[in-house]
Amino acid sequence: MVSLNDIAPGTWNIDADHTEIGFVARHLAVTKVKGRFTDVSVNAEAAEDRKNSTLEFTVQTASVQTRNADRDGHLKSNDFFDMENYPEITFTSTKIAPNGSGGVDVTGDLTIKGTTKSVTIPFEYEGTATDPFGNQRAG
């Protein structure tokens, strides 16, 4: 069984090639649209006492992609992200707790267009492994 205790305490750097921050939104009340941000930075600190761990991320709103250029342009406009005035979306954790399914629920402050709200994001934990170059990876 995989355990979060497999993750060594310390700073964990993002692997941008294997990381995605995405979203799903209702469109016209009959379908869902999926999107993602391609320019993401993450800072994760695993503490000895897991409940003291922290997670922060920043996404560049200009990097939004929904597979439709017109929709992406609309999302970047003042109607949604207003990327000219608010080029970043940020998240800073305030609480990390096991969720009973082997992962963690990360609660924190999500700021979009200058408005901050508390949200909880569930994370799955897939385990750790050593890559061919001797680096420890966590998924």
Side-chain angles (χ1 to χ4, degrees), residues 110-125:
L110 178 67
T111 302
I112 302 174
K113 279 181 73 171
T115 300
T116 302
K117 295 191 177 190
S118 180
V119 299
T120 299
I121 304 169
F123 284 83
E124 296 177 14
Y125 176 64

Side-chain angles (χ1 to χ4, degrees), residues 7-128:
I7 297 176
T11 301
W12 285 79
N13 297 312
I14 184 175
D15 178 353
D17 291 337
H18 296 97
T19 301
E20 181 173 281
I21 293 181
F23 59 90
V24 177
R26 281 265 185 218
H27 179 66
L28 300 175
V30 295
T31 190
K32 294 178 182 175
V33 172
K34 293 181 181 180
R36 66 186 184 120
F37 296 95
T38 59
D39 189 351
V40 178
S41 62
V42 177
N43 180 31
E45 296 285 336
E48 288 283 343
D49 182 348
R50 294 297 185 235
K51 70 178 179 241
N52 294 325
S53 298
T54 60
L55 174 72
E56 298 175 343
F57 67 76
T58 301
V59 299
Q60 301 302 314
T61 54
S63 73
V64 68
Q65 291 184 352
T66 64
R67 298 181 314 166
N68 180 295
D70 290 338
R71 180 173 43 233
D72 294 349
H74 191 202
L75 288 172
K76 294 173 187 178
S77 77
N78 187 39
D79 288 343
F80 290 94
F81 296 130
D82 190 7
M83 72 170 212
E84 293 295 323
N85 294 306
Y86 301 97
E88 297 179 337
I89 295 171
T90 61
F91 176 85
T92 302
S93 66
T94 56
K95 178 182 176 186
I96 298 177
N99 61 17
S101 63
V104 293
D105 287 338
V106 180
T107 300
D109 296 327
L110 178 67
T111 302
I112 302 174
K113 279 181 73 171
T115 300
T116 302
K117 295 191 177 190
S118 180
V119 299
T120 299
I121 304 169
F123 284 83
E124 296 177 14
Y125 176 64
E126 301 293 333
T128 58

